[in-house]
Amino acid sequence: MASSSAQRSSQRSERQNHIPHGRSAASSLSRSVDNGQQLLPNNLSVRSKLHASRPSLPPSSRTNCSNHDPEPARVRVAVRLRPRNAEDLLSDADFADCVEIQPELKRLNLKKNNWSSEAYRFDEVFSESASQRRVYEVVAKPVVESVLSGYNGTVMAYGQTGTGKTYTLGRLGKDDASERGIMVRAMEDIISSTSGSDSIEISYLQTDFSRERSRIDKYSLATQVSIRRAVHEEEKEIPFQEKDSKGNLSYDGGIPIVRNSKLLIVDLAGSERLDKSGSEGHSVEEAKFINLSLTSLGKCINALAENSPHIPVRDSKLTRLLRDSFGGYYDASLGKKGWPLNFKGRRKEAMKVVNMLKLKEEFDYESLCRKLENHVDHLSAEIDRQLKLRDRERIEMERSLRECHESFDKAEKSLVARSEFLQKENAHLEIELEGTLNELNRLKDENNFMHSEVARLEISLKHVTIHGRKESDKIMVKLQESYEVHQKTANELDSLKAEYNELLTDKATLAEELNAMRLTLQIQEKQRKAVEAELVRLKKLVPENGDDYEDKKSHVKENRAKPLVLPKLNQSRETISGQRATIAKICEEGKKLVLLLSSP
Ligand SMILES: Nc1ncnc2c1ncn2[C@@H]1O[C@H](COP(=O)(O)OP(=O)(O)OP(=O)(O)O)[C@@H](O)[C@H]1O
């Protein structure tokens, strides 16, 4: 939605930017006028239309807010040839016999006879095959766009009955959208191009004047569309802007401007040539009135072309309805010729009519009023808010002031108390300082005394040191002596230990010898016992031989008196007892040494 809206917006601004100036502006607007029976003989069954449109701005609707210079816009005329219908086919009508169109040259040739014809130029020439869409886009769309830009515009269909005016303008195209006429397409474009803030008013008028003197306009239909669009900021010049005290942009003071424009789509009553229409009775009267109405229209256009100060818009209801479309009365640049009721003259004069286009802008006082009321409401609310704010600020400031006073009193009291405390503290410190100074002096005296004492002690120490050295030397000598004694004792102890070990070795040797001797003794004892036993046995045997017995007995006694090893044994016993005494002595000495060594 947004993109399509933006697209539309850009398209609109693009269109606005392309609104031509000067005479070229005329090409963007069109007025269609049907060229009817006056143009072509009825029996030729040529149905063609002449479209013309122009925006207008009646003096009464002008406002002092518009600063746009009027722009000239020429009336544009188009002709459309409709295809032959069943009736035409029945009557064997052949357009080609009398009409030759050259769309590319925008020219229509009317054949007078086989060898002569008259050529007429139009702004647009549509052939039978021209689609409704193309007719709309070429003839009516520029007008619609112009109306959306704020100009008035008119699309008018003129032509004799049955030539396709209603088909071109008012076809709804319910069944086939491609057949939709100018009116439906124009409404679609307008509705799709406007936004919610724009207002569109559609009026549908049928000029039925049965109660009036003339019923000529009874078949003229107008859908006459009023568009009221606000001019956006970027389109209008902002007169001035106001800023509030804070520099914010407030209400700009500009009066909103709206553009009022109208699109008039007129399906004129069919124009008939009485002499060729075959109308009778009431139809004749009606046809006269119709022609009279169209004649009034012709007179108006004629007056426009002649730059006449008076445009006879009141001559018929039709011209009265089209008054707004003649808005360029006084600004129009007109053609020189009059407006004869014939095809050639109308075409020419219509194409010469130049209206002055002017944007119809006016101040939107209602919107301004609403805006101002909103602004006043906003300002009142702002004032109330400011007053409340100020009250709050005043209360706040008063409270702050009270708090300041209180805190000031507190601070003052605290300062006084602090000052008193500091004074006391100062006196106390002064006393302490005095005491400290006295103490310092005392310490100084003490220090001096200590210095002198230290000097004295140093002197004493020197003496003591000398004496001490002598004592020390003596002690050292004594110590040396003690050490030597100790060394000597230790040596003796070592020798005694060695001696003791030797003795132990000897003891072991002697023990071994003793054991060997004991063993020998045991052996000898056994030998003796054996000898004694032998002797006993021998004695028993020897009684007869007393001598032998005695010899043997003496021999045994000798042997007994002569111990084999006893001297040696005695000797060993003496040695052992000597050794024992030595060992005891050594042990005694060792004990003494151990006691001596272990003594401190
Ligand atoms: N371009 C066209 N293509 C096809 N049919 C058309 C075309 N123009 C007109 N017709 C047909 O011609 C007939 C007459 O057309 P229309 O009623 O629009 O004429 P008119 O000029 O409005 O007549 P009147 O003045 O009586 O109202 C209609 O049936 C219509 O459908």
Side-chain angles (χ1 to χ4, degrees), residues 181-334:
I182 285 174
M183 209 177 295
V184 178
R185 289 172 192 268
M187 288 311 301
E188 280 177 349
D189 274 0
I190 288 169
I191 289 167
S192 66
S193 301
T194 49
S195 62
S197 60
D198 303 328
S199 72
I200 305 169
E201 193 181 311
I202 303 170
S203 312
Y204 179 78
L205 296 177
Q206 179 170 351
T207 55
D208 185 355
F209 305 108
S210 53
R211 285 174 295 170
E212 294 189 30
R213 65 177 172 82
S214 167
R215 296 184 65 218
I216 281 176
D217 303 317
K218 115 179 206 185
Y219 297 114
S220 291
L221 304 176
T223 301
Q224 314 269 67
V225 181
S226 298
I227 301 173
R228 181 183 174 87
R229 307 186 77 185
V231 178
H232 296 292
E233 288 299 324
E234 63 269 18
E235 295 177 58
K236 69 174 183 180
E237 293 172 14
I238 301 173
F240 61 90
Q241 289 187 337
E242 287 179 353
K243 286 192 175 181
D244 58 18
S245 56
K246 292 178 184 171
N248 298 323
L249 194 67
S250 60
Y251 170 60
D252 59 13
I255 303 174
I257 294 174
V258 288
R259 284 180 186 162
N260 291 314
S261 56
K262 277 184 191 171
L263 171 65
L264 200 64
I265 300 175
V266 185
D267 184 1
L268 290 170
S271 59
E272 306 291 353
R273 290 189 63 173
L274 289 178
D275 55 340
K276 297 195 177 180
S277 66
S279 302
E280 292 176 2
H282 177 73
S283 298
V284 173
E285 287 303 307
E286 199 170 70
K288 279 182 183 173
F289 289 138
I290 290 170
N291 280 340
L292 192 59
S293 168
L294 295 176
T295 302
S296 301
L297 177 63
K299 281 180 182 174
C300 288
I301 295 173
N302 200 27
L304 286 170
E306 288 182 347
N307 200 14
S308 167
H310 173 68
I311 310 297
V313 289
R314 295 179 179 275
D315 282 6
S316 74
K317 187 69 178 178
L318 172 67
T319 48
R320 258 183 277 164
L321 279 175
L322 294 177
R323 185 178 54 191
D324 281 351
S325 301
F326 302 143
Y329 302 146
Y330 304 105
D331 297 326
S333 125
L334 307 172

Side-chain angles (χ1 to χ4, degrees), residues 20 132 143 178 208 214 216 222 259 297 304 362 369 405 472 499 508 561:
Q132 291 279 75
V143 184
S178 67
D208 185 355
S214 167
I216 281 176
R259 284 180 186 162
L297 177 63
L304 286 170
E362 62 184 28
C369 189
H405 277 302
S472 170
E499 209 172 322

Side-chain angles (χ1 to χ4, degrees), residues 34 49 80-83 85 128 130 132 159-168 171 267-272:
D34 192 350
K49 294 190 292 291
R80 183 182 191 184
L81 191 67
R82 74 153 171 76
N85 56 24
E128 302 154 271
Q132 291 279 75
Q160 68 183 74
T161 301
T163 49
K165 300 183 294 296
T166 306
Y167 180 89
T168 302
R171 188 85 171 179
D267 184 1
L268 290 170
S271 59
E272 306 291 353

